[in-house]
Amino acid sequence: MKSLKRIIQLCEQNKPSISFIDEILKGTNTIERIAASAAMMEWLSLNKGMNIIASHDIELTGITKSTYTNYHFSESIENGQVHFDYKIHSGPSKTKNAIKLLEILDYPQSITNKANGLAEHFLERHEWKVMKN
């Protein structure tokens, strides 16, 4: 947050800047992180400077789509290995890998099945399914 504040202060002094921000506001709670990140991204876009912002918060791609151009790296999983092509692709990422990585690392199938079900439910309904004992 201190680094982000320095970027803002440079902009307020009308000093052009190029900022590279990796995982904006990581480590903060999800709802406020996304809201504050979107607000900060909008503010930065209205001030002098070029901003390159990396985030795993897919929600930011929708919130900021009229302000920022989205790019992503792509990966594939082959023979239990994750491979990156190290090329920049347009648009938000279409792949997901967290649950697949759990499967590769031989986590219990009950965990990965549950995780897949929860993820599918969220993607269909945009709400999290309440877990039951």
Side-chain angles (χ1 to χ4, degrees):
M1 286 192 167
K2 290 179 183 178
S3 296
L4 292 171
K5 180 66 174 178
R6 284 192 295 273
I7 294 168
I8 289 172
Q9 288 170 335
L10 286 172
C11 291
E12 289 176 329
Q13 297 167 10
N14 289 319
K15 294 182 180 176
S17 65
I18 298 174
S19 60
F20 297 88
I21 304 168
D22 186 28
E23 293 301 335
I24 188 168
L25 299 177
K26 73 178 175 185
T28 58
N29 77 70
T30 305
I31 293 171
E32 288 190 3
R33 178 183 64 249
I34 293 166
S37 295
M40 186 170 306
M41 290 170 70
E42 179 186 54
W43 190 93
L44 287 169
S45 75
L46 298 172
N47 289 276
K48 287 187 177 188
M50 175 189 286
N51 312 294
I52 298 171
I53 301 168
S55 177
H56 283 93
D57 291 320
I58 195 73
E59 296 89 346
L60 290 174
T61 63
I63 295 169
T64 64
K65 68 182 174 185
S66 65
T67 310
Y68 283 84
T69 304
N70 196 278
Y71 299 96
H72 69 277
F73 291 106
S74 187
E75 81 285 342
S76 62
I77 299 175
E78 301 166 14
N79 301 320
Q81 299 285 321
V82 179
H83 299 280
F84 291 91
D85 63 7
Y86 298 102
K87 295 179 182 176
I88 297 175
H89 302 275
S90 294
S93 177
K94 295 172 182 62
T95 61
K96 297 165 184 60
N97 59 24
I99 299 169
K100 190 65 176 167
L101 290 172
L102 295 178
E103 293 170 351
I104 289 170
L105 293 171
D106 205 25
Y107 273 67
Q109 191 172 7
S110 61
I111 293 173
T112 56
N113 286 346
K114 182 66 162 190
N116 276 314
L118 290 167
E120 288 173 20
H121 179 87
F122 182 82
L123 290 171
E124 289 172 6
R125 301 185 184 181
H126 297 285
E127 66 181 17
W128 288 106
K129 184 176 181 180
V130 176
M131 295 179 9
K132 299 176 185 168
N133 288 337

